[in-house]
Amino acid sequence: MFADFLNKLIQPEPEQLDDADARLALTALLVRIARSDGFYDADEVAHIERIAARRYDLDPAGAQQLRADAEQLESEAPDTVRFTRAIKDSVPYEHRTAVIEALWEVALADGERDADEDALIRMASNFLGISDRDSALARQKVARG
């Protein structure tokens, strides 16, 4: 279903994604973080939908559809390295910095820091061109609520 979209992402010179495609790619990255610890439950699903609704001004049905599409995209997407590099090349910087906060929101949703989630966020931040310092500031901001 997402083969054309993924082909656009992994081109040697990808074009900048339109807003809807950027939303989908970044939400798929949230799903990948949520799944990284081997547990993907209803609380994480609900959290991703709340982030999508808030960030993209979606109603509950729109957020649910975006999350469902993102789950499918994430399962078909290439490895995280190529996926995040493709997002970096296709998504403006300000959207990439905002998604790091959302990644931390998902990772910290259960109240615990998981080493697998931390490692994946660190790697995603690096490949998205976000410094460790800015990622740590995003984590602190999310932790403070």
Side-chain angles (χ1 to χ4, degrees), residues 69-82:
D69 290 345
E71 287 174 348
Q72 185 171 351
L73 175 63
E74 188 279 331
S75 68
E76 296 175 19
D79 61 88
T80 302
V81 172
R82 288 191 304 158

Side-chain angles (χ1 to χ4, degrees), residues 34-108:
R35 288 178 170 169
S36 69
D37 63 358
F39 299 100
Y40 185 59
D41 62 20
D43 288 338
E44 290 172 312
V45 166
H47 207 78
I48 289 170
E49 289 177 5
R50 281 193 303 274
I51 290 169
R54 181 183 70 235
R55 186 169 302 281
Y56 304 125
D57 196 29
L58 299 173
D59 63 18
Q64 183 178 22
Q65 185 62 54
L66 177 60
R67 189 255 323 138
D69 290 345
E71 287 174 348
Q72 185 171 351
L73 175 63
E74 188 279 331
S75 68
E76 296 175 19
D79 61 88
T80 302
V81 172
R82 288 191 304 158
F83 189 48
T84 54
R85 282 185 179 159
I87 291 171
K88 177 185 177 196
D89 292 341
S90 305
V91 176
Y93 183 81
E94 59 273 9
H95 292 283
R96 290 183 271 136
T97 56
V99 85
I100 296 302
E101 287 182 18
L103 292 174
W104 279 115
E105 282 184 59
V106 170
L108 298 175

